[in-house]
Amino acid sequence: MGTLLLKGKPVSDSIRLALEPRVQSLKKIGIVPKLAAIIVGDDPASQVYVRNKARAFEKLSCESQTYRLDSKSNEENVLTLIDRLNNDPSAHGILVQLPLPNHLDSKTILHTVSPNKDVDGFHPENLGLLLEGNPNFIPCTPHGVLEILRHYDISVSGRHAVIVGRSNIVGKPMFALLAQKFEMGNATVTICHTGTKDLAAYTKQGDIIIAAAGSPNMITGDMIKEGADIIDVGINRVDDDSEKGYTLVGDVNTESVMGIANSVTPVPGGVGPMTITMLLVNTVKSAEKCVELVTGW
Ligand code: NAD
């Protein structure tokens, strides 16, 4: 069986193209969609993520402002800034870059972001609306996964989707989306995690596998069923002798599923490019909501 590589870039490009006229319509009435990104401390990976987000916003003629707080900032410093941005009409989206330094309670901080500006979709009100089947802002990575499935015409309804990972940012919202009676949902969903005994017994039953465990190469060809569609959300650094000193690999051992799976997303270049695109989508949507002009997603 030839295994199709589900690249994220064409999906991401077509969504960004569809956003352009929406951004232009907003501009005509004096609104520029704007993201306020808060970064606390100097975690190098977070710096790269925030820089990439800022670039993507500029490319689409949107704005992005990064607020850098010292790693020793206390909770009050962060909450005061969020409060200011919640009340700033020019900021349509607020993003708190995770992970936060250990001394800060991410729950308290994420809960302070106004649900109307929560373009990451992490606020409990937005997660609740998603569970209810009436989403406001959908978390970007799981939303990006659905857009990949849609773009490549991979059917979801009636199939068995097996998710590996139960985090609040990927696994759980992915479950909520795939199980809903939505156009890109209506699947039978199994969610596996570190408490699952005999993971392979479940992954072998998956028509669709969503791997989001953060464990390099853990899903191998002998753990999947023939013809499965595999979405690899994992991004893991594995140290090696290369010039960079590491290689990025997913949670799926891609080589070993080739010829068995119907399709698989590559790492890098699969789900990765989708996350920022869906952040753009949510921020444009938030700006449109201010003037009751939502036209898509
Ligand atoms: P997390 O550490 O918060 O959660 C991982 C989940 O996987 C946990 O619920 C755990 O129970 C489960 N798990 C871990 N090891 C397991 C195992 N051996 N068997 C079964 N279940 C296991 O991670 P996360 O934030 O959800 O991210 C998961 C992966 O996705 C990471 O590699 C992360 O870098 C990547 N990620 C990628 C994007 C993207 O844009 N592509 C976005 C977010 C996360």
Side-chain angles (χ1 to χ4, degrees):
M1 168 179 285
T3 301
L4 178 68
L5 266 188
L6 308 171
K7 293 189 180 158
K9 190 160 185 307
V11 191
S12 163
D13 285 350
S14 73
I15 293 176
R16 291 188 194 195
L17 200 65
L19 282 177
E20 277 174 15
R22 291 170 62 180
V23 173
Q24 292 314 318
S25 301
L26 284 166
K27 269 211 176 131
K28 278 188 196 139
I29 52 170
I31 295 175
V32 180
K34 180 175 166 184
L35 175 77
I38 301 173
I39 181 162
V40 188
D42 35 34
D43 176 59
S46 295
Q47 303 282 346
V48 174
Y49 288 141
V50 168
R51 212 177 314 134
N52 289 345
K53 284 168 190 167
R55 251 185 233 144
F57 272 72
E58 278 158 28
K59 257 190 167 170
L60 197 72
S61 310
C62 296
E63 268 182 55
S64 153
Q65 189 163 352
T66 305
Y67 295 82
R68 293 174 199 282
L69 298 185
D70 188 85
S71 61
K72 292 192 189 78
S73 303
N74 61 27
E75 195 169 284
E76 201 192 324
N77 300 142
V78 186
L79 296 185
T80 305
L81 173 58
I82 294 177
D83 191 48
R84 179 153 67 82
L85 294 168
N86 280 343
N87 291 300
D88 175 353
S90 77
H92 304 102
I94 302 173
L95 174 147
V96 181
Q97 185 61 47
L98 299 176
L100 287 165
N102 286 338
H103 68 280
L104 295 174
D105 178 30
S106 35
K107 226 189 247 174
T108 309
I109 289 172
L110 293 178
H111 290 196
T112 307
V113 173
S114 161
N116 295 324
K117 297 192 177 189
D118 168 42
V119 285
D120 258 336
F122 295 162
H123 192 282
E125 184 175 315
N126 286 324
L127 288 171
L129 286 168
L130 175 60
L131 263 184
E132 193 187 59
N134 183 27
N136 178 25
F137 293 117
I138 301 176
C140 301
T141 303
H143 197 182
V145 169
L146 284 197
E147 291 305 323
I148 288 182
L149 293 170
R150 187 200 308 279
H151 182 93
Y152 289 101
D153 254 337
I154 294 171
S155 70
V156 176
S157 180
R159 297 179 83 204
H160 183 192
V162 176
I163 301 169
V164 186
R166 59 176 159 193
S167 73
N168 289 333
I169 65 171
V170 189
K172 282 189 215 160
M174 197 73 249
F175 159 76
L177 285 163
L178 290 171
Q180 300 284 350
K181 211 167 174 180
F182 287 161
E183 182 209 342
M184 289 309 294
N186 209 28
T188 302
V189 187
T190 298
I191 184 154
C192 300
H193 42 72
T194 43
T196 302
K197 292 190 178 118
D198 194 2
L199 179 65
Y202 296 93
T203 53
K204 271 183 193 161
Q205 295 177 44
D207 301 312
I208 299 172
I209 296 174
I210 314 278
S215 181
N217 294 318
M218 72 177 292
I219 309 279
T220 47
D222 56 340
M223 292 170 72
I224 66 160
K225 122 167 150 183
E226 190 154 351
D229 294 298
I230 305 181
I231 304 288
D232 190 355
V233 179
I235 301 179
N236 310 289
R237 273 185 186 207
V238 174
D239 293 341
D240 61 16
D241 300 332
S242 67
E243 211 175 293
K244 268 200 266 174
Y246 66 88
T247 303
L248 287 184
V249 302
D251 288 355
V252 176
N253 184 323
T254 319
E255 225 168 88
S256 76
V257 303
M258 290 312 232
I260 306 170
N262 177 56
S263 64
V264 63
T265 57
V267 175
V271 177
M274 295 305 299
T275 300
I276 295 182
T277 298
M278 301 325 285
L279 182 70
L280 283 165
V281 164
N282 279 347
T283 308
V284 170
K285 183 175 160 184
S286 178
E288 288 174 340
K289 277 181 172 214
C290 296
V291 285
E292 292 175 14
L293 197 82
V294 179
T295 52
W297 283 288

